[in-house]
Each structure stands twice: as structure tokens, then as C-alpha cells.
Amino acid sequence: MDSVTDPTRPTANPLSVFDAVAGRRSVRAFTAAPVPRETVERILDLAARAPSGSNIQPWKVYAVAGAARAALSAELLADHEAGVPEEPEYAYYPESWKEPYLARRRKVGWDLYGALGIAKGDRERMARQHGRNWDLFGAPVGLFFTIDRVMGKGGWLDLGMFMQNVMIVARGFGLETCPQAAFCYRHAIVRRHLALPDTEILACGMALGHADWSAPENNFATEREPAGGFTRFVGF
């Protein structure tokens, strides 16, 4: 098979590593085109080359598609629409914010709403957009990343590097992703549907599929601080 027909191989004209990283974005609208299990498995195999302390490889993944994915999304969305309070298992964000982090968070939110034509104060449309998280923004595959509770901060660093690999490798197969901390806020439903053991924490979810580039939410660029703004060079 060539790379066009073999789902376990990258696209015929794979991106350079520079383009794969520079073009990565959190895609929030996907087409319904399916992603074969073989492709998902190959992405995860390649991503598993991520470094980890003493090669402990602390990441665990639950890949969901088809009827199982639909059932999970339906219950998550039903809780959201019913106004059931969210109960995160761990604190993703700080308890108190300071600059420049607060300004960055606000800006990306308003940039997204602006692209969607959602006016400031339109709480109904904001809630509806937030609800799209539970449907994985229409992506056919959901990846859920867990880590054993016994792991320390180093293990979480390892998991983050693995997840970044997943996002970059996916682009080599013509796919896009959206990492979603939102699932941590309704982790009990995910835990029940995926039979997660109590010994594991749901760290993050991720949508995986073919991007719908006609959607306005996929066509605004988030800003990044240049290296000179966050790096202190010593001895150069």
C-alpha cells in the first residue's frame, strides 16, 4: 500500500516538523469523516516515543468512537444543558489569577467569540458554544488521557509531552486535534462510561478528526509571546 491508501502511514506529502508545530491549533469544528482505528493506533505508537523519567511511560489512553462516543457525549451534554454543576477532580487553573495570564485568557476567549459572532454578554450563545465541548466539536474520535494517582509532578510533565506528540503526529496523517480540559469538570460521567479505575485520574480529553476549515472558529490565530519575552539567555 502507498501512503494514500494505508491508514497507518502519514500523508503522501507529510509536513515538516517545523510546519507541523507552527500550524498546530485547537480545532473546534470537525467533519464527520471517520478515522480508522489503525490510524489512531499508529499515532499513539509514534507519540509514545515521548521522553519520560526513567522511561516510566506513565500515560494511559482511552480511545472512543462510534456508539460509545455518541452515548458519552449525549450524557455529558444532557448534564450541561440541565445545569448540573461541574465538579473538577483537580485544579487545572490557579485559584487566583495575575497578569499576564488573566489578560491572555480573556483575549483568546473574546477572539473565539468574535470569530463566531457572539456578542459580549450573550450568555445563551456562550453556554451553547461551551456545550460543544461535550460533543468533541463534532470529531469522530475522543481520546481520554489518564495517569495513576501515585505519580508525582514529573509524571504529569511526561504525560504532557506525550500529548503534544499526539497532536503533532496527528497532523502528519492530515488530522487535527483539540485538547480539552473541559472533560475533567465532568470526570464522573467519563469515568463511568469508560470504566476508569479509581486508581487513575482523568487528566484531559482530546478531539481527533478532520478539521472543517470552513468553520469560522478554525480561522483565527492565537498569539504567542516570542522567545525573547519569556527566556533569559545566560552566557550567549
Side-chain angles (χ1 to χ4, degrees):
M1 292 184 182
D2 61 24
S3 59
V4 175
T5 58
D6 184 354
T8 67
R9 292 180 61 82
T11 55
N13 298 300
L15 297 169
S16 72
V17 65
F18 304 109
D19 291 337
V21 172
R24 191 217 63 82
R25 62 182 62 197
S26 294
V27 165
R28 293 182 175 86
F30 293 84
T31 73
V35 178
R37 171 178 169 163
E38 293 83 359
T39 301
V40 177
E41 192 164 0
R42 183 60 175 148
I43 289 170
L44 296 174
D45 275 339
L46 291 167
R49 295 305 306 175
S52 62
S54 302
N55 198 32
I56 60 175
Q57 304 172 62
W59 44 79
K60 298 178 186 293
V61 185
Y62 296 79
V64 186
R69 174 229 178 277
L72 172 59
S73 290
E75 185 171 350
L76 288 164
L77 185 57
D79 257 30
H80 170 75
E81 292 179 342
V84 176
E86 297 179 343
E87 297 181 357
E89 189 171 25
Y90 71 95
Y92 184 91
Y93 291 112
E95 291 184 7
S96 60
W97 290 86
K98 68 176 186 177
E99 298 300 349
Y101 313 115
L102 180 59
R104 289 173 181 168
R105 187 188 192 203
R106 286 174 171 168
K107 185 178 188 310
V108 74
W110 291 123
D111 285 350
L112 171 61
Y113 291 147
L116 291 167
I118 300 175
K120 190 173 183 178
D122 189 343
R123 296 185 180 276
E124 182 178 346
R125 289 192 65 192
M126 289 180 188
R128 193 157 59 243
Q129 174 60 27
H130 180 64
R132 296 191 65 237
N133 273 284
W134 313 124
D135 190 42
L136 292 156
F137 300 108
V141 176
L143 302 177
F144 295 88
F145 301 85
T146 71
I147 188 168
D148 282 315
R149 295 182 187 277
V150 299
M151 291 298 167
K153 292 180 180 178
W156 285 74
L157 289 174
D158 299 339
L159 174 60
M161 289 186 281
F162 169 73
M163 288 178 58
Q164 175 72 358
N165 268 7
V166 171
M167 291 183 276
I168 299 306
V169 171
R171 301 203 70 220
F173 288 86
L175 302 171
E176 298 292 342
T177 58
C178 183
Q180 297 173 255
F183 288 102
C184 305
Y185 289 76
R186 298 195 185 277
H187 63 93
I189 294 176
V190 179
R191 181 174 300 282
R192 176 161 38 80
H193 275 258
L194 303 184
L196 305 185
D198 291 339
T199 54
E200 296 175 17
I201 295 177
L202 175 63
C204 193
M206 184 183 294
L208 172 69
H210 297 270
D212 177 2
W213 294 119
S214 68
E217 58 266 48
N218 286 341
N219 288 285
F220 79 95
T222 55
E223 296 179 358
R224 291 294 189 273
E225 184 80 4
F230 58 77
T231 307
R232 180 187 177 194
F233 293 95
V234 181
F236 284 84

